[in-house]
Amino acid sequence: MAAVEMQQYQYHHKSSSKKSTTNGSNRFTRKCAALVKEQRARIYILRRCATMLLCWYIQEDGDEY
């Protein structure tokens, strides 16, 4: 009887450790995806601002002539 309980405990312990590893890597993946998304948004904003400033600069150059 004790041997069966020990096997069940070992089986449960192995499956729960796999779950925690999977959850941990899943959390890591979601966190990385969120960071990438945030960085892409920042780069998009910077690109838009640079384009706007460049357009204003070019437009001012055209007005002087």
Side-chain angles (χ1 to χ4, degrees):
M1 185 73 160
V4 172
E5 289 175 2
M6 183 59 105
Q7 286 176 347
Q8 288 176 346
Y9 171 76
Q10 288 174 346
Y11 177 76
H12 178 68
H13 181 67
K14 285 181 184 177
S15 65
S16 67
S17 68
K18 286 181 183 177
K19 282 183 181 179
S20 66
T21 303
T22 303
N23 287 341
S25 63
N26 193 13
R27 239 181 283 137
F28 178 74
T29 302
R30 279 188 271 138
K31 189 171 184 175
C32 283
L35 289 173
V36 168
K37 188 175 182 180
E38 182 180 343
Q39 289 300 319
R40 287 183 63 162
R42 288 179 183 204
I43 291 170
Y44 173 78
I45 291 168
L46 286 173
R47 192 177 71 222
R48 293 288 302 244
C49 290
T51 303
M52 184 174 55
L53 290 172
L54 185 61
C55 287
W56 284 351
Y57 178 77
I58 291 170
Q59 187 177 10
E60 283 182 9
D61 271 351
D63 290 341
E64 290 179 9
Y65 294 113

